[in-house]
Amino acid sequence: MNEGQDFALTTPRRRAIVFADLMESVRLYEQFETRTIDNWRRFAALARDSLAPAHAGRLVRVVGDGLLLEFDTAAAATAAAHALHQALASFNGPDAGEAAMWLRVGVHLADVVTEEHELWGNGVNLAARLAAIAQPGQTAASTEVRADLTDGVHAHIEDLGLRYMKHVSEPMRVWLLNTPGANVQRNGPVAPSSADLRPAIAVVPFTALPADAEHDALGHAMADDIIASLSRHPGLRVLSRVSTAAVRGVPLELPRLRELLGASFLLSGHFYVRGNRVRLAAELCELQGGQVLWAGGVGGDVDALFEGQDELVPHIVSQVSQQVMAHELARVRSLPMDSLASYSLLLGANGLLHSLVQQDFGRAREVLEHLAERHPREAAPPALMSAWHVFRILQGWAEDPAAEGDMAMRMAARAMDNNPEQPTALVADGVARIFTKRDFKGARQSFNKAVTCDPTYALAWARLSETESQAGEHETALASASRAIDLSPLDPQRFVYESFAATAAWKTGSYGVAARHARESIRLHAMHAPPHRLLIASLWFQAEHEQARTAVATYLRLMPGSRVSASPSTTGDAVMNSPFAQALLQAGLPP
């Protein structure tokens, strides 16, 4: 087979073509020949050796006063075009004056035949025609390129409409690709919306290494599963993959990512596939300060991943949620409140509140009061303040339980005034009704409304379980508590839900189930009093008296001074003559 036949059989490939043309080259060579030749040769070498390879492309050839380059994708070609403009500007220097060199660049996506020093096809001509439309320092692109770009991420895109070009029969739609952010108003870091004080996490679809279209869907699938799991965390907002996929593989500075996405944290990474095994390396970054909070790798089975049976995603999700919560809790403990974002205060206050350590507990009140002053019309701060007063009663720390109950009711009423449709406010209202008026009927109405507004709000289901138990609907109560647990694999309050499940199971006479839930609650949070009492009573009713006495000893060691009558349970079972209270007394808890 001769060369002509070999050339004819070459298969076209889809390539992003960049044609960069030196503006006013005739004048530059005439007036500044030596300088222009020197700078242009050095610039062409830089494009060949550095700029093109940095974007997974190559310089095909130098065409006198132009450069022809090819890239795998429109996004890579666009990024390279920006880099070419920036690099040539650095050659000019501040004293260049009339000797300054400027490019005009055209980018087109087409099927072309590739050789070592040439590209063949009409796409090359169109890239050159697009460059001729651009002004000095500009990049013009075709619709084929525009379709693969995201405005604000790959470029600040301007539609130039239909343009006629030399030797092209029909007008082409032309788009101007300015440097990303060049025409975007910058007002500092993006703050979370006043309607939602929670921090936002962006999960970027993971990249296959080496790049492989066959495995690309796996990166998106893992990101989707992580997003779905994280979205069940009550303290976090998670951006959709539609938003985050646009920044995958785009080399953006962290402040720019924060500006584009409005996110506080970024989870990204890459993965390798060998056979049916996948290895994911992920990194969690705090976008404002650029701090890496966590980085790690985990392996999994590809088939099990798609079936939802592999532990890879739960492991990543657990690490992300724990690291975000720990990071914000540490900041709230150590930094002045005025220096912290509202989402930091909200997450930190939640962590301090549910630590049930008295020193942290006092700090939680200070943080919540500061947050309420900063956002006087938001429901979350007063709702959490209401919970703060309730915990004071539950833990036996209230010198005047009636006064604490009144404060809980006042804070819940403020939350309801701010937003009567907010599930957080509705739950606060219901809990306060129980502790101030023993109004389980009114509380149940609030909890039912909360789960109607947000069926995924685990705390509402848990509290609904409490009122169902009080109404004697014990099986229904256990189902509601179990639903709360199922909805909250990452919720810091899951220890509360396990406690409610223990209560409901105890009411049905399922003491073994009650003990299991109580132990799980204690495992998650040993400083929460109700599950200790439930465990003691459940063990006693199973005639496991020695274990019940051991549980009493553990309870008293953790919370010295605890008594049967010191803190009523949320269901009122600790009345001294009740079977529940009698079991506590017989197991050795002081009256």
Side-chain angles (χ1 to χ4, degrees):
M1 183 179 291
N2 61 39
E3 284 189 4
Q5 291 173 315
D6 185 41
F7 175 79
L9 293 174
T10 303
T11 303
R13 299 169 57 204
R14 193 72 167 172
R15 307 300 292 161
I17 306 151
V18 171
F19 190 88
D21 180 42
L22 178 63
M23 290 289 295
E24 298 185 329
S25 59
V26 175
R27 179 186 64 82
L28 289 172
Y29 281 118
E30 180 181 346
Q31 297 179 13
F32 309 100
E33 183 177 47
T34 301
R35 174 176 177 147
T36 301
I37 291 174
D38 180 59
N39 283 344
W40 184 249
R41 289 180 65 193
R42 291 192 297 122
F43 174 70
L46 179 68
R48 180 193 64 224
D49 299 334
S50 179
L51 299 181
H55 300 282
R58 71 180 181 105
L59 175 65
V60 178
R61 60 184 171 92
V62 179
V63 192
D65 55 359
L67 305 178
L68 179 62
L69 307 96
E70 66 163 338
F71 299 87
D72 292 334
T73 65
T78 302
H82 296 321
L84 289 169
H85 286 303
Q86 185 177 10
L88 187 58
S90 69
F91 278 82
N92 289 329
D95 61 343
E98 292 294 318
M101 297 190 302
W102 299 97
L103 290 176
R104 51 185 182 181
V105 178
V107 185
H108 182 51
L109 193 65
D111 292 330
V112 293
V113 173
T114 63
E115 291 186 347
E116 184 179 0
H117 299 296
E118 189 59 275
L119 299 179
W120 300 91
N122 189 48
V124 179
N125 297 328
L126 290 177
R129 298 292 180 236
L130 287 163
I133 288 177
Q135 296 299 309
Q138 290 185 343
T139 300
S142 63
T143 294
E144 289 81 358
V145 170
R146 169 64 183 93
D148 285 353
L149 303 180
T150 299
D151 183 41
V153 175
H154 301 103
H156 184 74
I157 302 174
E158 180 182 347
D159 188 353
L160 298 182
L162 293 173
R163 293 294 184 91
Y164 284 93
M165 291 179 285
K166 187 177 180 180
H167 301 313
V168 178
S169 59
E170 296 294 329
M172 282 184 64
R173 186 85 170 270
V174 179
W175 307 81
L176 196 62
L177 308 181
N178 295 305
T179 304
N183 298 315
V184 177
Q185 182 72 27
R186 292 178 184 245
N187 295 310
V190 175
S193 165
S194 61
D196 194 336
L197 301 180
R198 299 172 300 168
I201 293 182
V203 181
V204 178
F206 304 110
T207 303
L209 291 181
D212 187 343
E214 179 184 352
H215 295 131
D216 187 61
L218 180 59
H220 288 273
M222 288 189 289
D224 281 342
D225 287 348
I226 290 170
I227 288 169
S229 295
L230 283 174
S231 65
R232 294 159 68 184
H233 193 297
L236 303 174
R237 287 187 298 124
V238 190
L239 302 186
S240 73
R241 180 171 57 83
V242 175
S243 298
T244 60
V247 302
R248 185 173 70 157
V250 182
L252 297 173
E253 298 292 331
L254 294 183
R256 177 66 179 146
L257 279 171
R258 179 174 169 81
E259 180 183 17
L260 283 169
L261 299 173
S264 306
F265 302 93
L266 181 77
L267 179 68
S268 60
H270 55 266
F271 64 95
Y272 307 85
V273 177
R274 178 176 294 178
N276 202 47
R277 297 292 297 172
V278 59
R279 178 74 181 175
L280 173 64
E283 178 180 278
L284 176 67
C285 181
E286 192 268 322
L287 287 176
Q288 184 170 7
Q291 179 182 356
V292 175
L293 303 185
W294 171 79
V298 60
D301 181 273
V302 174
D303 291 339
L305 273 170
F306 280 106
E307 293 169 3
Q309 298 176 353
D310 196 274
E311 289 301 311
L312 184 151
V313 168
H315 174 80
I316 297 293
V317 168
S318 176
Q319 287 292 335
V320 169
S321 61
Q322 290 176 27
Q323 293 298 329
V324 169
M325 297 296 287
H327 176 71
E328 298 307 331
L329 182 57
R331 284 162 54 82
V332 168
R333 280 183 170 138
S334 61
L335 297 177
M337 284 183 278
D338 286 338
S339 69
L340 296 172
S342 294
Y343 72 79
S344 295
L345 295 175
L346 184 68
L347 280 185
N350 251 313
L352 294 169
L353 176 67
H354 292 102
S355 73
L356 300 182
V357 175
Q358 291 206 44
Q359 181 178 354
D360 284 349
F361 202 74
R363 174 70 170 170
R365 180 173 185 173
E366 296 174 15
V367 174
L368 288 171
E369 288 174 344
H370 183 89
L371 191 61
E373 291 177 4
R374 188 183 292 187
H375 297 279
R377 294 183 179 85
E378 292 298 326
L384 286 172
M385 278 297 298
S386 180
W388 187 89
H389 290 287
V390 168
F391 272 123
R392 289 260 297 169
I393 300 171
L394 273 174
Q395 292 298 108
W397 297 338
E399 296 179 5
D400 186 346
E404 294 285 354
D406 288 342
M407 285 299 299
M409 194 72 229
R410 287 172 60 186
M411 291 296 104
R414 183 184 299 178
M416 288 290 288
D417 287 342
N418 287 348
N419 190 344
E421 303 297 320
Q422 168 63 254
T424 304
L426 288 163
V427 168
D429 175 72
V431 173
R433 286 177 182 276
I434 291 173
F435 278 88
T436 58
K437 306 175 182 178
R438 309 301 291 170
D439 179 13
F440 285 90
K441 183 177 180 180
R444 185 170 184 172
Q445 291 175 347
S446 293
F447 299 146
N448 270 319
K449 186 174 181 180
V451 298
T452 300
C453 292
D454 184 358
T456 67
Y457 190 40
L459 182 58
W461 284 105
R463 289 294 184 180
L464 181 60
S465 165
E466 179 182 12
T467 60
E468 290 164 343
S469 284
Q470 183 66 21
E473 302 170 14
H474 305 311
E475 295 292 344
T476 302
L478 184 56
S480 293
S482 298
R483 182 163 185 175
I485 293 169
D486 291 341
L487 285 169
S488 58
L490 304 175
D491 195 331
Q493 296 189 60
R494 190 160 67 88
F495 69 94
V496 176
Y497 313 153
E498 294 284 356
S499 181
F500 283 130
T503 299
W506 195 87
K507 289 289 191 76
T508 66
S510 303
Y511 302 121
V513 175
R516 175 169 57 81
H517 283 294
R519 283 194 174 100
E520 181 66 5
S521 181
I522 293 167
R523 181 188 70 81
L524 293 168
H525 202 315
M527 301 303 293
H528 185 44
H532 286 280
R533 304 159 76 86
L534 285 160
L535 178 60
I536 295 164
S538 298
L539 292 171
W540 191 264
F541 269 80
Q542 290 185 98
E544 298 178 7
H545 296 157
E546 286 306 313
Q547 290 189 44
R549 295 187 181 99
T550 300
V552 168
T554 300
Y555 181 27
L556 292 174
R557 185 180 73 252
L558 291 168
M559 284 165 272
S562 297
R563 308 171 69 85
V564 172
S565 58
S567 171
S569 78
T570 56
T571 56
D573 283 324
V575 179
M576 292 301 289
N577 62 356
S578 71
F580 185 91
Q582 289 300 308
L584 300 180
L585 286 168
Q586 293 172 33
L589 193 64

